[in-house]
């Protein structure tokens, strides 16, 4: 039985706009919301449908992970050999504030869930019609539905020492990259 479930369904034009707004908010906020958005969407771009926005999201998250401030210049240097460069200037007009980054990320995530559910349903329908073993179809659908409902939520427990060390490593990368470690941005 073929258990590969395709994800090529596009359900809404709103997906593209939400993807654009998510990335624009991250750039406008100079990466301050990357962790919050990463908690919703994950730190890899597979939930994005538009290839340009996939590239930009991946680059933004890589910059953040490297401790480099996320802005138009750093993003340009990260993707300078990509066809996506033309998108960067248009992002500055997309949002007025970066505070909506998580809101737009949730919209992107919901559209990803809808696409996945539609793909799972289509696959299950085809599998049932091909007279595959029903119990293996149920098992595969159940596995895929659990993946969709869990999203990027991690239930893994990590030792405190590992979490603290990751935080210290992140701060060290910020310092080495010339980033400022000043705490929460207040706008003052």
């Amino acid at each position: 039985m073929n258990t590969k479930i395709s994800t090529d369904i596009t359900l809404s034009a709103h997906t593209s706009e939400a993807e654009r707004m998510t990335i624009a908010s991250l750039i406008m906020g100079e990466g301050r919301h990357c962790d919050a958005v990463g908690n919703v969407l994950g730190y890899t771009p597979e939930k994005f449908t538009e290839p340009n926005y996939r590239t930009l999201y991946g680059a933004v998250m890589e910059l953040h992970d490297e401790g480099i401030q996320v802005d138009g210049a750093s993003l340009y240097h990260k993707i300078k050999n990509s066809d996506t460069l033309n998108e960067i200037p248009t992002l500055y007009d997309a949002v007025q504030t970066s505070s909506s980054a998580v809101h737009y990320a949730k919209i992107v995530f919901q559209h990803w869930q809808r696409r996945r559910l539609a793909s799972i349903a289509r696959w299950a329908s085809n599998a049932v019609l091909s007279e595959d073993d029903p119990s293996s179809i149920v098992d595969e659908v159940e596995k895929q539905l659990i993946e969709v409902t869990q999203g990027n939520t991690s239930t893994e427990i990590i030792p405190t020492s590992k979490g603290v060390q990751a935080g210290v490593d992140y701060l060290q990368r910020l310092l080495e990259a010339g980033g400022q470690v000043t705490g929460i941005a207040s706008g003052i």
Side-chain angles (χ1 to χ4, degrees):
M1 171 176 58
N2 179 10
T3 59
K4 171 113 174 67
I5 298 176
S6 129
T7 59
D8 62 353
I9 295 174
T10 302
L11 295 175
S12 173
H14 299 295
T15 302
S16 178
E17 188 64 15
E19 291 176 1
R20 179 174 181 255
M21 300 298 252
T22 300
I23 294 165
S25 296
L26 290 173
I27 294 169
M28 180 171 274
E30 298 176 340
R32 283 189 296 270
H33 305 291
C34 284
D35 286 326
V37 169
N39 287 336
V40 174
L41 293 174
Y43 290 86
T44 57
E46 70 269 354
K47 290 184 176 69
F48 284 76
T49 57
E50 296 291 325
N52 286 346
Y53 298 144
R54 252 181 211 230
T55 301
L56 288 168
Y57 184 77
V60 164
M61 288 305 186
E62 284 178 27
L63 288 169
H64 175 69
D65 189 47
E66 294 166 5
I68 299 171
Q69 182 173 341
V70 177
D71 58 27
S74 61
L75 192 57
Y76 172 83
H77 289 293
K78 186 75 173 173
I79 62 168
K80 62 184 169 193
N81 295 327
S82 167
D83 294 335
T84 309
L85 281 177
N86 297 334
E87 290 290 335
I88 295 174
T90 66
L91 294 172
Y92 285 99
D93 297 330
V95 293
Q96 299 297 317
T97 179
S98 65
S99 63
S100 299
V102 173
H103 169 74
Y104 293 120
K106 286 179 181 177
I107 294 170
V108 172
F109 181 74
Q110 290 169 348
H111 285 281
W112 171 81
Q113 282 183 313
R114 286 183 181 107
R115 289 190 310 274
R116 288 293 296 141
L117 288 171
S119 296
I120 292 166
R122 184 177 61 200
W123 176 85
S125 175
N126 290 337
V128 168
L129 294 175
S130 69
E131 298 183 21
D132 285 336
D133 176 33
S135 62
S136 64
I137 296 169
V138 169
D139 289 344
E140 183 62 28
V141 168
E142 183 177 59
K143 183 176 93 177
Q144 295 296 323
L145 289 175
I146 288 170
E147 176 192 313
V148 170
T149 58
Q150 289 181 344
N152 292 308
T153 311
S154 174
T155 58
E156 177 184 335
I157 297 173
I158 61 168
T160 304
S161 60
K162 186 176 179 181
V164 170
Q165 186 60 48
V168 169
D169 291 344
Y170 176 70
L171 290 173
Q172 187 64 38
R173 285 193 313 266
L174 276 176
L175 287 171
E176 290 169 359
Q180 296 179 5
V181 183
T182 59
I184 299 173
S186 65
I188 298 175

